[in-house]
Amino acid sequence: MASQRVVDTSAWIEWLTASALGQKLGKQFPDKSRCIVPTIVQLELSKWLVREVGEDQADQVIAFTQKCVVVALDTTIALLAADLQRQHKLATADAIVYATAQHMGGDLLTCDAHFEGLPDVALFPKSA
């Protein structure tokens, strides 16, 4: 495992719903001091949580993410994301998440098949 790790929204959701995959993923989550949370992941998580479980639990999870290493989207990450988006045909949010991991020298923990085959990605695909 890389010294730092970005946990993608898909992995957070599996972990929070305590699915079988989420229980496996929980063992892959780094300590909070090494867990990088891009601000776009906070946005996606908040949106999902408010819709699925309500605002109170959303606030608790976002408060937890704030104890991790929160990384805001800045110009350097935005330009790297644009390059990665072109190279790997990623959606904008995925490119930002991946660029954040690359910029921070970490790897990416995800369930999202869009990242398959990319360097520094720990992919735990959802079974069909």
Side-chain angles (χ1 to χ4, degrees):
M1 188 188 316
S3 58
Q4 297 195 91
R5 170 167 272 180
V6 170
V7 178
D8 186 32
T9 308
S10 61
W12 279 103
I13 289 171
E14 290 298 321
W15 180 66
L16 289 166
T17 58
S19 68
L21 179 57
Q23 289 169 13
K24 256 194 268 182
L25 283 165
K27 296 180 179 86
Q28 299 293 321
F29 273 53
D31 297 337
K32 287 192 281 276
S33 64
R34 297 183 309 112
C35 183
I36 300 167
V37 182
T39 48
I40 194 144
V41 168
Q42 289 180 316
L43 178 155
E44 291 177 329
L45 267 180
S46 177
K47 207 168 84 172
W48 181 85
L49 286 159
V50 168
R51 187 180 66 231
E52 297 296 323
V53 294
E55 246 168 81
D56 288 347
Q57 200 169 345
D59 290 346
Q60 288 172 17
V61 173
I62 297 305
F64 177 84
T65 66
Q66 289 177 299
K67 294 183 176 125
C68 301
V69 181
V70 177
V71 176
L73 176 60
D74 64 13
T75 303
T76 305
I77 293 171
L79 296 176
L80 179 57
D83 286 344
L84 292 168
Q85 189 172 21
R86 275 193 304 277
Q87 285 171 33
H88 304 295
K89 298 182 176 37
L90 294 169
T92 299
D94 290 343
I96 292 167
V97 169
Y98 188 51
T100 303
Q102 297 282 295
H103 177 70
M104 297 297 290
D107 68 357
L108 174 65
L109 178 64
T110 185
C111 307
D112 189 337
H114 294 110
F115 294 108
E116 192 169 0
L118 297 183
D120 303 315
V121 171
L123 177 64
F124 287 74
K126 293 181 198 178
S127 33

